Amino acid sequence: MRVAEVVGRVLYGHGARHVFGVVGSGNFQVTNALVAAGARFVAAAHEGGAASMADGYARTAGTVGLLSVHQGPGVTNALTGLTEAAKSRTPMVVLAPEATAPRSNFFIDLPALAAAVGADFHRVRATHAAEDTGAAYRAAARGATVVLGLPLEVQQAVTGAWFGPVPAVAPTPVIAPQVEPLLAALQAARRPVFIAGRGARAAREPLTRLADACGALLAVSAAAKGLFAGNPWNLDVTGGFATPLTAELIGTADLVVAWGSTLNMWTTRHGELIPPSALVVQIDHDPAAFGVNRPVDLTVAGEVTAVAEALLARLSVGSTGPGDATTGGWRTPELAQRIRDHGRWRTVPYQDEGGGAPATIDPRTLSTALDDLLPADRTVVVDSGNFMGYPSMWLDVPDVTGFCFTQAFQSVGLGLASALGAAVARPDRLTVAAVGDGGFVMSATELVTAVRLALPLLVVIYDDAAYGAEVHHFGPDGHPLETVTFPETDLAAIARGYGCDGLTVRTVDDLAPVRHWLAGPRTRPLVIDAKVSAARGSWWLEEAFRGH
């Protein structure tokens, strides 16, 4: 068979069931090979959208995402979404046809491009097509975004290699972690806090058991929101999104253990959140991640789950020490009550800034009302911008796969398409895409795809008629803002033009039609153009500017 067919069959054999993309001549045959094997092809309007769909799908499904694009401009059109995936360590394979003749108008240096954005690069050879494809998939399954070069002439080659059953992806060998110093630190601590990051998304159960054993409070980076949902000791997101109570408690910790988190400036409020007196420990499977963002006192190399289970095994045969919840740690009934009363942003009092003429709605009021309206079983996908803290912190999620945070590259405009990928991964849940008006306009073309897929999708536009981050960054210093402010636009009408239902919201009462849409059948996306008040920047943005 031809190499293109081998590639498609191997990927399907490894478990690829969805492939997102835009088909051209260079990826026509390999995409059709995947479809013939049994995979579903999701046609996007633009390769940039397809890349974000594959990214959102992989994050939500917890499996390898697949992107198929045309050679040359198909690859470069996908580049921003590909960069976001690589920086987020999303498991993804990009089927990238290669025009290898340097004088071809489609030629680009694919290995250099992949290296520039932090992705791995593999290339398929005619005589080793199955092995090379399998190696790329296995690399992705271990947590890499992989650009798989498919030279055009190689795709057409007939391979005589026998094609048999595809071997399973072998698990990464687990090396017994050295946990004795961390065990001693946990036993000595009286106010321990666990901060779980992207690398701990699969470790809820062992981390909660370990926290119970040593009396730790639980917090997450934004990328791991939902990991400890429902736990009474959950402080939710730390860093710039932290509630005043979360910031207070982390600020008095004597031990901070970072599980699969590099403690970047957003997670630590530019280093100010963690007290200087606290012992800081970092656990990561990649030793290169140790201390990349701040000094740490102790490191443990190993997978998060393996380290937590090793500690639990040690604790099961000995005393947990003074940090244990039963021996005077800070897990008291009084603290539990404070977390219940003040551990969520919607319980923090604020002065509503809505109103005016024409009327606008406070983004906190909007988000609270939506949280009450929407079913609890939801996936929330958040684009980038001034607005993003409101849906991230006011909309609850049921678990860690219910939150998709496209912020590793901090690009505006990826949220809508990422939400489509998430909706394909979990059609049983309502998917909520939270976007700003700038990001919506950038990505609105993918509403065509949303209508075509007929998936349960709610798009909420926090519309301040501006690039709000720039307005609130430069406006206070008196800079002219004409380049980042725009006339009010009827974005709901634009959505209706694509075939969606559209709704303009200026008050809470304007949300009433959402109830009817939620009642079903929800086969047409609903786009809410919420005209939000913009008198000041969001609280998290003000915090971020302090570090600039």
Side-chain angles (χ1 to χ4, degrees):
M1 62 181 68
R2 296 189 184 277
V3 167
E5 187 177 355
V6 171
V7 172
R9 289 196 180 192
V10 169
L11 291 171
Y12 183 83
H14 272 304
R17 294 297 180 267
H18 289 86
V19 53
F20 302 84
V22 176
V23 170
S25 59
N27 64 327
F28 183 84
Q29 292 186 346
V30 68
T31 305
N32 280 344
L34 274 158
V35 173
R40 177 190 180 190
F41 176 66
V42 179
H46 188 273
E47 290 91 350
S52 293
M53 289 177 205
D55 185 11
Y57 171 85
R59 298 186 198 210
T60 306
T63 189
V64 174
L66 211 57
L67 171 65
S68 180
V69 295
H70 184 57
Q71 68 266 25
V75 177
T76 58
N77 280 348
L79 198 55
T80 300
L82 168 58
T83 305
E84 167 66 30
K87 288 180 177 290
S88 297
R89 299 185 295 281
T90 299
M92 191 163 91
V93 175
V94 182
L95 301 175
E98 282 189 278
T100 54
R103 290 187 176 273
S104 168
N105 58 322
F106 289 125
F107 175 79
I108 54 176
D109 188 341
L110 271 184
L113 181 148
V117 302
D120 289 1
F121 180 79
H122 291 239
R123 179 177 283 127
V124 168
R125 299 164 293 174
T127 54
H128 298 83
E131 296 93 327
D132 294 340
T133 304
Y137 188 94
R138 289 190 293 274
R142 289 192 294 268
T145 297
V146 180
V147 176
L148 181 59
L150 302 173
L152 297 179
E153 64 278 10
V154 171
Q155 288 191 57
Q156 300 303 315
V158 176
T159 176
W162 176 80
F163 182 82
V166 175
V169 177
T172 303
V174 177
I175 301 173
Q178 301 300 310
V179 299
E180 298 304 327
L182 175 53
L183 177 63
L186 288 170
Q187 290 174 327
R190 297 189 63 83
R191 298 182 306 281
V193 171
F194 290 177
I195 297 178
R198 192 187 310 277
R201 284 170 59 94
R204 174 187 168 107
E205 192 273 337
L207 287 181
T208 52
R209 285 199 293 125
L210 181 61
D212 289 344
C214 64
L217 304 183
L218 296 162
V220 292
S221 70
K225 179 180 170 64
L227 181 61
F228 301 121
N231 188 288
W233 305 106
N234 176 28
L235 303 179
D236 205 6
V237 179
T238 183
F241 286 174
T243 63
L245 177 61
T246 296
E248 172 197 330
L249 292 173
I250 294 177
T252 59
D254 59 2
L255 172 66
V256 174
V257 186
W259 300 89
S261 168
T262 59
L263 298 176
N264 65 26
M265 62 180 182
W266 307 111
T267 304
T268 65
R269 289 192 177 177
H270 300 275
E272 295 179 358
L273 191 64
I274 298 173
S277 59
L279 183 75
V280 180
V281 184
Q282 187 179 353
I283 293 98
D284 204 288
H285 75 282
D286 181 9
F290 292 147
V292 294
N293 289 309
R294 58 152 292 149
V296 293
D297 302 299
L298 178 64
T299 62
V300 181
E303 296 290 344
V304 166
T305 296
V307 174
E309 289 178 343
L311 287 163
L312 284 164
R314 304 292 199 285
L315 288 170
S316 67
V317 295
S319 169
T320 60
D324 185 80
T326 64
T327 57
W330 63 348
R331 281 192 176 192
T332 64
E334 293 77 16
L335 181 57
Q337 187 63 51
R338 288 189 70 198
I339 293 173
R340 285 193 294 272
D341 292 344
H342 306 292
R344 302 168 64 202
W345 267 107
R346 62 176 296 169
T347 65
V348 177
Y350 67 92
Q351 182 176 350
D352 192 295
E353 296 177 350
T360 60
I361 186 170
D362 190 299
R364 296 162 291 189
T365 303
L366 167 71
S367 303
T368 299
L370 285 171
D371 190 51
D372 291 339
L373 273 175
L374 304 180
D377 203 20
R378 64 181 74 150
T379 304
V380 176
V381 185
V382 182
D383 202 354
S384 190
N386 172 60
F387 77 95
M388 70 185 190
Y390 302 113
S392 295
M393 297 313 301
W394 268 259
L395 299 183
D396 288 338
V397 294
D399 51 40
V400 72
T401 62
F403 190 66
C404 183
F405 197 58
T406 62
Q407 306 299 329
F409 196 32
Q410 290 187 264
S411 171
V412 170
L414 306 185
L416 175 58
S418 298
L420 290 177
V424 170
R426 291 298 304 267
D428 57 313
R429 287 181 168 178
L430 173 68
T431 299
V432 182
V435 301
D437 50 306
F440 173 77
V441 172
M442 284 186 183
S443 58
T445 185
E446 292 302 345
L447 290 178
V448 169
T449 309
V451 171
R452 186 188 301 130
L453 293 174
L455 290 167
L457 177 69
L458 176 68
V459 181
V460 183
I461 309 170
Y462 289 73
D463 182 2
D464 61 359
Y467 288 124
E470 283 66 36
V471 167
H472 299 296
H473 192 175
F474 297 105
D477 293 327
H479 294 287
L481 300 173
E482 289 81 3
T483 56
V484 291
T485 54
F486 308 99
E488 184 175 295
T489 303
D490 189 348
L491 301 181
I494 292 174
R496 287 191 290 269
Y498 280 105
C500 303
D501 291 332
L503 176 66
T504 299
V505 169
R506 296 182 182 275
T507 68
V508 169
D509 291 342
D510 293 337
L511 290 169
V514 178
R515 293 189 179 89
H516 301 294
W517 181 84
L518 288 171
R522 289 189 267 171
T523 53
R524 284 161 56 98
L526 173 61
V527 177
I528 296 175
D529 179 11
K531 307 297 187 181
V532 296
S533 55
R536 68 181 69 188
S538 61
W539 90 98
W540 75 267
L541 197 65
E542 293 174 352
E543 182 68 44
F545 288 163
R546 294 192 185 103
H548 285 190

